Amino acid sequence: AQRVTQPEKLLSVFKGAPVELKCNYSYSGSPELFWYVQYSRQRLQLLLRHISRESIKGFTADLNKGETSFHLKKPFAQEEDSAMYYCALKGGSWGKLQFGAGTQVVVTP
Amino acid sequence: NAGVMQNPRHLVRRRGQEARLRCSPMKGHSHVYWYRQLPEEGLKFMVYLQKENIIDESGMPKERFSAEFPKEGPSILRIQQVVRGDSAAYFCASSNYSNQPQHFGDGTRLSIL
């Protein structure tokens, strides 16, 4: 069975401090992993997908198949990073996504 | 391009009534996905449709729930004889191909009195 686990419901960091959001998954095949972000009063939007291997808004995420993890990192958090972050997995050929429960990030000045 | 449009944004129903949630995908997108989010939980997949066809409904409750995506018009998620446990946020997403990223709407918050 496929599963996505985000162990932290809430992450509070100071502006300028590093931030890491944990995401672990279980899936028997080769999954595709995503990070989605939802800013206050906005819709859910794609932040990163692992196959792109790019950095968006200073965030990076590396797929670690050995540890079945896809942690999201940013070296210096900004106040505008305060949002809800969801890790998601797509397994198989269909597009359906399996989401984690989400991590609320609060960046304080 | 206005993106994925869902309406209504908020819907209040009494127990036993029917709820109809609408989703217009982004222009050029023919793949539609519905997700449900219960309080304090992540989004859970319900159904995947491609014009006039249900491709995967493995996340749909067996009774009272149905979905369609007609040739013309929006996709509709229909909940018959609603119960309190149906209170949730329902999100629609669309993509142009099944292997492309999904774009989400603002969701419909359904409240059952």
Side-chain angles (χ1 to χ4, degrees), chain A residues 49-92:
Chain A
R49 56 192 303 202
H50 90 267
I51 62 172
S52 300
R53 302 183 69 82
E54 56 191 345
S55 173
I56 305 291
K57 299 184 180 184
F59 285 96
T60 58
D62 291 315
L63 180 61
N64 186 324
K65 292 186 178 180
E67 295 183 359
T68 59
S69 68
F70 188 55
H71 303 327
L72 183 68
K73 301 175 186 178
K74 184 169 182 177
F76 307 104
Q78 303 299 314
E79 288 180 70
E80 56 265 28
D81 296 327
S82 295
M84 193 72 176
Y85 292 80
Y86 294 95
C87 182
L89 175 155
K90 188 179 82 162

